[in-house]
Amino acid sequence: MSNEIYLNHPNFGLLYQVCLLDNSKELFTTLYAQRLFFVVSSNSNGVNFEPVSRSDGRTIVEARIRYLRKIEAMEDFRQLQQIYKQTFQ
C-alpha cells in the first residue's frame, strides 16, 4: 500500500504531499519540478493553497523533522528525513 498523497491544483496541476504540518495543514510541491511549494489548509470553507518559496518549504520541513525527533516519532522522522533528502539535496 502506498502512502503517497496527491492533490490537483487548479493552475499548477498535480501536487505531491511532502509532509503533514498539523491537523489541517500540509506541505505540497509540484510533482515533476518540485520548485513550487504550497501550504495547503482545509476547513469548512474548502481548500486553501498558500504558495511558499523553495527555501521556506525547506525551512518548514526542517522544523517538522525537529518536531518529530523531539516527540520521538522515529518512523515518521526517518520517512520525512528521506523525503527531505530527495526533495532538497
Side-chain angles (χ1 to χ4, degrees):
M1 187 172 139
S2 174
N3 291 333
E4 295 175 351
I5 297 174
Y6 298 93
L7 185 64
N8 193 26
H9 187 279
N11 296 324
F12 297 105
L14 204 56
L15 303 179
Y16 173 78
Q17 183 196 43
V18 177
C19 68
L20 178 68
L21 302 176
D22 65 30
N23 290 337
S24 63
K25 290 185 180 181
E26 301 167 85
L27 182 67
F28 281 81
T29 185
T30 51
L31 183 60
Y32 298 107
Q34 295 183 344
R35 296 286 181 231
L36 300 172
F37 289 82
F38 300 89
V39 173
V40 178
S41 58
S42 59
N43 57 36
S44 60
N45 295 331
V47 177
N48 181 44
F49 295 90
E50 177 188 342
V52 295
S53 68
R54 181 173 173 82
S55 63
D56 287 345
R58 184 179 191 145
T59 301
I60 290 168
V61 174
E62 289 168 350
R64 182 69 179 174
I65 287 172
R66 285 191 302 274
Y67 172 75
L68 291 172
R69 185 172 46 217
K70 179 181 176 183
I71 66 167
E72 299 180 0
M74 299 314 290
E75 182 62 31
D76 292 337
F77 168 79
R78 283 190 279 281
Q79 287 176 351
L80 187 53
Q81 216 173 20
Q82 182 63 32
I83 291 169
Y84 176 85
K85 289 176 185 176
Q86 293 171 347
T87 305
F88 296 106
Q89 295 179 351

